[in-house]
Amino acid sequence: MKPVAPYLLLPVIMLLAFPLMSGPSWIALTVAGLAMGMMLFLMASGLALVFGLMDVLNFAHGGFITLGAYIAVSVLAPLTGWVNAGSWELNLMARAAAMLAAAIVSGAAGLAFEAIVIRRVYGAHLQQVLITVGGLIVADQLIVAIWGTQPLPLQKPAVLRGSFQLGGAAIETYRMAAVVLGLLVYAGMHFILNRTRIGLVVRAGVENREMVEALGYRITRLFVGVFVAGSALAGLGGAMWAQYQETVTPAIGAEMMILVFIVVIIGGLGSIGGCFTGALLVGLTANYIGFLAPKLALGSNIALMVLILLWRPRGLFPVGGR
Amino acid sequence: MADLLLTLSGVHTHIGPYHILHGVDFAVPDGEVTMLLGRNGAGKTTTLRSIMGLWTPTAGQIRFAGQDIAAMATPEIARLGIAYVPETMGIFTQLTVRENLLLATGPAGFKPHKLAEVLALFPVIELKFNQQAGGLSGGQKQMLAIARAIIEDRRLLVIDEPTKGLAPGVIVQLIEGFQRLKAARTTILLVEQNFEMARALGDSVAVMEDGCIVHRGAMADLAADTALQEHLLGLSLGALQ
Amino acid sequence: MTRQHPVLRLLLLSLFLALAFAPFLFPGTKSVATASRICIFIVLAASYDIMLGYTGIVSFAHTMFFAFGAYGVAIPLSRGWIGWDAILVGTIVGAALAALVSAAIALLSLRVQKIFFSMITLAVASLAQILATQLRDITGGEDGLTFSLPAELQPSFRFLADPIFGVRADGRLIGYYLTALIALALFLLMQRLVASPFGTVLQAIRENEFRAEALGYRTIVYRTIASAISAAIAAVAGGLMALLLRYVGPSATLSFDVMTDILLMVVIGGMGSLTGPALGAALVVLAHYYLQPFMQMGFDSLADVRILPALIHPDRWLLWVGTLFVLIVHFFPAGIVGAFRKH
């Protein structure tokens, strides 16, 4: 039943890039691409699920990314000592606190946003787009009012700052950590979606919301939960990306949202597996092309999206009858 | 006469600007099979969807087990013990057959005796248990849809045209399945175009036309009266046999 | 168009008269520039309404098409090819490019879902923004391009020795009326378009896509053509903007702020009416000019209070505009025009 070709795209792109560069560069870029892909996945997964489940496309999703990034800054500022300490425990604690806070605050913001804005425009696509864009403007302005427009520095934890050798390539420790954390989150989501009742209901709801309701599940409540979880993941992704970049600007969410949209379009809106594949594809392409032809890096992901849409108009893994 | 489990009185339903149901009155007695017949576009599916709360009636009462459910939300209605099999079957094609069934069970998951019962009724489900439901044939999907409706004890099954588009051999299998359910005194509200099936299963019958009930009575009476059949349902139904 | 509320008709008439005689009613460089800006944004907002109001598609690339026209005019002028022919060629090239890109995006995305169009336009527009800042040799990068206008459009040019009703008969006056007349022509053209059979089909598709498709209309073809026309007109508006500013840069033409303004104009005025966005354009442009200084006053007077000043700082303009936007989408989805239609 499942198409095989979309799954092959990832290894094909990795293999295509291999002869174009030296082995160590390839390893380093692949790790960097996967790390970026994992962070993109965190940011994109909530958007994709919310769309799949409720047919709601939240253009304000980028606001949660920005919020998460700034919360990380604010939490880490008083913890500078922990961040710079050379000890795993203190580093980890600071990092965990920042990420947890980013996820919780973004999740709470998501809860409020759903109740105030989204809930009123179910089923009305045009209004949805407009009202979420309006919401994004307001959210961005509030963030600027609180944290200002100047870029704020953000330090990686001391133990994650350096790099290590792998196959002759210097791999940044932070990237490896991002890959590991991304994989953990993916595994967690995979587990929840495929091994729990809630996940089963979510997957069913993405395909046929009405039938899930006719089976007695209160899907609107579930949707709020998914919306909050998606916002929290976006905040987490924003916090990780900010630490990766070591700086935060108010535009961080808007910049990442462009890539997030490309990810969900490539992946097929509503599919978690597609979202994961799409995120890795975008991350890898950005890094390979950025190395091979820096001038083309900007357009490479858009070109990737266009090519994929020409090949499969509904994305790699379309869901449901939409 | 058995107690009335479900009663519709004066139900009006609008879909957008269209007035579809114009005061529907009929009842489903407990432990019986009630057939809802009528031509295409008579309002049968809308009636079922109104019962399930998938359309909210604009006027009238729908009483289920003594409670007015006309204004209730779909999940709450379902939780009262009504299982619904829509015309489109509502199978989740991306999920496995097992997951489709599991969705309809309570928090504790499958009850072994119920599962055994269902698998005995539709053996094909066991064969495809862990496959993706999207790969099932039309008839298999319909059996899965009905299996999903009875995997837990429900007070009422609301089923919309289960034989639509199915091969005659499959229809025979379905009728057998329904007859076993009937024998177990399951309360069923069944919309059907296939008169043969209606005659085989129905205890009582209601016939719809243009959003109203135009005939109510015992199935046996309608089955015996060819003139009435022709008057109410036209020749097209007979031709289907 | 036929049965408008008297108040609405009065508003439109005053707007028309004010713009027709702006240089005489509100003399002064700043107010005439404001009037020009209103004319340009009327065209820009109305052309966006063809997408948003008449086909129900949200595009985020309208500023990109606007910029195509602006850069189309600016590039030859800034390289020393100063003449009316350069302006004409630049506008036509910009408009053609806009129509082409817009049609390509539409063909690619609309066969799936309207929402894809929104997302893809957002991605492509951001790419354009990056390109405009990176391709420094062509676009002047972040600094943009400054240029001189043909002699007839310069303030020093006099076409009459004596003032007309106390207003100097100079190149600025020519520039204003050139802008206003082109804007009027484009606006009338758009009104014809939406009233034509083509416009009727667009509205039929917006109301019921399925039925229109069943009636045999290739919805994607109609929508693609609509988006191409809308983009081309936006590009012409961009050309006018370049002439007004004698400068083109990414922040003036491509930024998300401009997109926000367009959305605001259309939504405040009322989608799907063309006259609504025209009113909206006038309101938003005026608000930019006169409300922001007002906020500055409020900010200065409240400088001692803690949180409040941060919120009414003139830079937080968008905060209030955004809030207003959400409220309007929510409570008055048909905007000013719709509010009058009900009564």
Side-chain angles (χ1 to χ4, degrees):
Chain A
M1 278 313 289
K2 288 193 174 165
V4 180
Y7 287 102
L8 292 177
L9 211 52
L10 219 49
V12 163
I13 284 204
M14 285 160 70
L15 282 178
L16 275 181
F18 189 66
L20 300 176
M21 53 189 83
S22 69
S25 315
W26 184 79
I27 294 175
L29 289 170
T30 304
V31 172
L34 292 178
M36 183 175 170
M38 291 295 177
M39 289 184 258
L40 272 175
F41 168 70
L42 292 183
M43 300 177 209
S45 54
L47 189 80
L49 263 190
V50 161
F51 183 85
L53 197 58
M54 243 23 206
D55 212 10
V56 167
L57 190 64
N58 178 16
F59 276 84
H61 194 70
F64 301 122
I65 297 175
T66 317
L67 183 61
Y70 275 104
I71 293 295
V73 171
S74 292
V75 170
L76 287 178
L79 299 179
T80 317
W82 288 10
V83 174
N84 287 326
S87 101
W88 273 101
E89 297 79 18
L90 288 179
N91 275 188
L92 264 183
M93 260 154 69
R95 191 174 154 83
M99 307 245 224
L100 206 65
I104 289 173
V105 174
S106 293
L111 186 67
F113 194 71
E114 198 279 337
I116 298 170
V117 175
I118 303 271
R119 189 170 300 174
R120 297 159 201 277
V121 287
Y122 282 146
H125 261 156
L126 187 63
Q127 268 192 308
Q128 247 171 40
V129 177
L130 293 176
I131 215 163
T132 54
V133 167
L136 178 63
I137 295 170
V138 174
D140 274 352
Q141 290 295 312
L142 286 175
I143 285 170
V144 170
I146 298 172
W147 283 284
T149 50
Q150 290 305 310
L152 299 179
L154 187 64
Q155 284 182 313
K156 286 172 190 160
V159 289
L160 294 181
R161 268 178 219 154
S163 55
F164 61 90
Q165 294 290 314
L166 181 76
I171 307 285
E172 276 184 51
T173 317
Y174 188 83
R175 285 181 178 163
M176 217 54 220
V179 172
V180 170
L181 189 69
L183 274 178
L184 282 178
V185 172
Y186 178 67
M189 279 179 83
H190 201 269
F191 177 82
I192 291 175
L193 279 174
N194 291 301
R195 294 276 177 276
T196 68
R197 174 66 68 114
I198 288 180
L200 180 60
V201 177
V202 169
R203 282 185 295 142
V206 168
E207 199 180 326
N208 187 342
R209 180 163 80 228
E210 206 168 66
M211 195 60 219
V212 170
E213 293 201 291
L215 286 169
Y217 296 99
R218 298 181 181 108
I219 204 159
T220 34
R221 242 187 248 180
L222 178 70
F223 170 70
V224 175
V226 171
F227 195 89
V228 169
S231 312
L233 283 174
L236 183 65
M240 284 181 68
W241 185 250
Q243 275 190 302
Y244 185 48
Q245 301 284 60
E246 303 194 48
T247 170
V248 187
T249 70
I252 186 171
E255 285 162 12
M256 293 315 284
M257 269 318 276
I258 306 296
L259 294 178
V260 164
F261 279 133
I262 294 177
V263 165
V264 294
I265 289 176
I266 289 178
L269 273 164
S271 144
I272 279 299
C275 191
F276 190 67
T277 313
L280 295 185
L281 272 177
V282 168
L284 286 173
T285 312
N287 278 278
Y288 289 147
I289 305 287
F291 174 78
L292 291 171
K295 287 233 170 223
L296 295 181
L298 310 162
S300 64
N301 278 310
I302 294 192
L304 178 73
M305 173 184 80
V306 169
L307 286 177
I308 287 179
L309 283 183
L310 287 173
W311 174 38
R312 302 176 78 90
R314 310 179 71 83
L316 292 178
F317 304 93
V319 170
R322 274 188 278 269
Chain B
M1 183 142 180
D3 290 338
L4 298 180
L5 183 62
L6 178 78
T7 321
L8 284 78
S9 35
V11 171
H12 287 256
T13 298
H14 289 75
I15 302 177
Y18 306 107
H19 192 169
I20 309 288
L21 299 186
H22 301 263
V24 170
D25 300 282
F26 74 96
V28 176
D30 205 2
E32 291 188 5
V33 176
T34 304
M35 305 300 304
L36 186 60
L37 307 182
R39 296 185 177 90
N40 275 330
K44 306 182 298 289
T45 295
T46 307
T47 303
L48 298 197
R49 289 179 60 89
S50 301
I51 295 170
M52 290 310 297
L54 292 166
W55 301 123
T56 306
T58 35
Q61 260 201 343
I62 303 179
R63 295 192 77 77
F64 177 76
Q67 195 174 357
D68 189 2
I69 61 168
M72 281 168 71
T74 303
E76 318 304 325
I77 295 172
R79 281 162 181 238
L80 293 175
I82 306 183
Y84 174 55
V85 180
E87 206 175 349
T88 50
M89 300 181 276
I91 296 300
F92 303 103
T93 56
Q94 313 263 330
L95 308 187
T96 64
V97 169
R98 178 183 157 276
E99 288 173 327
N100 266 282
L101 286 174
L102 188 61
L103 269 172
T105 62
F110 290 120
K111 294 182 181 123
H113 71 282
K114 289 300 288 183
L115 186 62
E117 221 174 284
V118 166
L119 295 180
L121 196 60
F122 300 116
V124 67
I125 289 177
E126 190 162 14
L127 292 176
K128 307 262 179 182
F129 205 54
N130 285 312
Q131 291 181 24
Q132 228 186 345
L136 299 182
S137 72
Q140 290 165 345
K141 277 185 187 151
Q142 191 65 65
M143 289 176 205
L144 175 57
I146 294 163
R148 192 171 58 185
I150 57 174
I151 192 75
E152 286 278 318
D153 286 316
R154 311 277 180 199
R155 301 175 71 177
L156 172 65
L157 308 187
V158 175
I159 303 177
D160 200 349
E161 272 201 61
T163 61
K164 195 180 185 185
L166 298 187
V170 182
I171 295 180
V172 171
Q173 266 180 285
L174 271 186
I175 293 181
E176 276 173 28
F178 277 118
Q179 259 156 350
R180 290 216 230 163
L181 291 178
K182 184 179 156 80
R185 298 199 54 75
T186 314
T187 314
I188 304 176
L189 172 59
L190 187 59
V191 163
E192 194 41 76
Q193 294 268 20
N194 184 321
F195 195 71
E196 201 51 37
M197 176 144 168
R199 178 156 52 195
L201 296 174
D203 294 307
S204 61
V205 61
V207 181
M208 287 192 81
E209 200 173 306
D210 292 333
C212 298
I213 300 290
V214 291
H215 172 84
R216 272 176 302 190
M219 189 68 223
D221 297 344
L222 182 64
D225 189 343
T226 5
L228 186 62
Q229 278 171 40
E230 222 159 277
H231 168 66
L232 289 173
L233 303 164
L235 288 168
S236 58
L237 278 173
L240 266 178
Q241 292 175 27
Chain C
M1 291 315 111
T2 43
R3 281 176 289 111
Q4 272 168 351
H5 193 279
V7 178
L8 189 61
R9 211 178 305 165
L10 193 70
L11 273 174
L12 286 169
L13 189 67
S14 352
L15 176 62
F16 175 77
L17 290 175
L19 289 177
F21 301 106
F24 304 97
L25 295 171
F26 318 101
T29 316
K30 189 189 168 192
S31 45
V32 174
T34 308
S36 298
R37 215 175 238 283
I38 292 177
C39 291
I40 294 167
F41 272 104
I42 285 177
V43 174
L44 192 57
S47 64
Y48 189 68
D49 193 30
I50 291 183
M51 292 296 290
L52 186 64
Y54 285 89
T55 57
I57 298 171
V58 184
S59 160
F60 292 105
H62 214 58
T63 48
M64 177 175 82
F65 303 133
F66 182 63
F68 280 175
Y71 278 100
V73 167
I75 288 170
L77 288 179
S78 66
R79 299 185 162 218
W81 181 17
I82 298 166
W84 293 97
D85 48 351
I87 295 173
L88 194 67
V89 169
T91 311
I92 291 174
V93 170
L97 193 62
L100 222 70
V101 172
S102 171
I105 298 176
L107 283 176
L108 191 65
S109 58
L110 289 181
R111 56 183 172 153
V112 184
Q113 222 183 353
K114 284 193 288 182
I115 207 88
F116 267 52
F117 187 86
S118 305
M119 292 192 286
I120 292 177
T121 50
L122 192 64
V124 173
S126 74
L127 174 70
Q129 205 172 345
I130 296 168
L131 283 179
T133 49
Q134 301 269 319
L135 300 175
R136 213 158 282 134
D137 300 341
I138 306 172
T139 62
E142 197 80 59
D143 301 332
L145 301 167
T146 43
F147 47 86
S148 313
L149 296 177
E152 294 84 356
L153 290 175
Q154 288 183 1
S156 54
F157 178 79
R158 293 276 186 287
F159 62 94
L160 287 173
D162 300 320
I164 313 169
F165 298 108
V167 175
R168 265 184 304 186
D170 61 5
R172 275 214 190 94
L173 196 63
I174 297 181
Y176 176 72
Y177 277 105
L178 182 74
T179 304
L181 283 176
I182 293 177
L184 181 67
L186 288 173
F187 189 76
L188 293 177
L189 181 79
M190 285 187 270
Q191 282 207 316
R192 281 293 295 273
L193 183 77
V194 298
S196 72
F198 176 78
T200 318
V201 175
L202 282 185
Q203 288 165 70
I205 295 172
R206 180 193 60 192
E207 294 312 321
N208 192 333
E209 187 169 351
F210 181 75
R211 186 162 55 191
E213 191 86 54
L215 285 172
Y217 294 112
R218 297 282 312 277
T219 56
I220 181 163
V221 173
Y222 278 85
R223 282 177 164 160
T224 302
I225 295 174
S227 78
I229 294 174
S230 157
I233 294 176
V236 178
L240 294 175
M241 189 57 119
L243 295 181
L244 171 69
L245 298 176
R246 281 172 291 149
Y247 159 80
V248 166
S251 61
T253 54
L254 269 167
S255 70
F256 196 71
D257 295 359
V258 182
M259 196 60 241
T260 312
D261 274 349
I262 300 175
L263 276 169
L264 202 66
M265 290 166 185
V266 177
V267 168
I268 289 183
M271 302 176 239
S273 61
L274 290 191
T275 48
L279 284 177
L283 272 176
V284 172
V285 171
L286 288 176
H288 260 301
Y289 271 82
Y290 300 105
L291 221 62
Q292 268 178 315
F294 194 68
M295 282 175 76
Q296 180 71 53
M297 273 166 51
F299 174 72
D300 293 341
S301 65
L302 282 172
D304 311 333
V305 194
R306 268 190 62 113
I307 306 266
L308 206 56
L311 293 180
I312 64 162
H313 188 279
D315 287 349
R316 292 293 80 69
W317 157 257
L318 269 178
L319 174 64
W320 300 104
V321 163
T323 310
L324 181 69
F325 184 83
V326 171
L327 293 176
I328 291 177
V329 172
H330 192 205
F331 293 106
F332 305 101
I336 298 175
V337 169
F340 281 119
R341 204 176 281 146
K342 268 178 202 158
H343 302 297

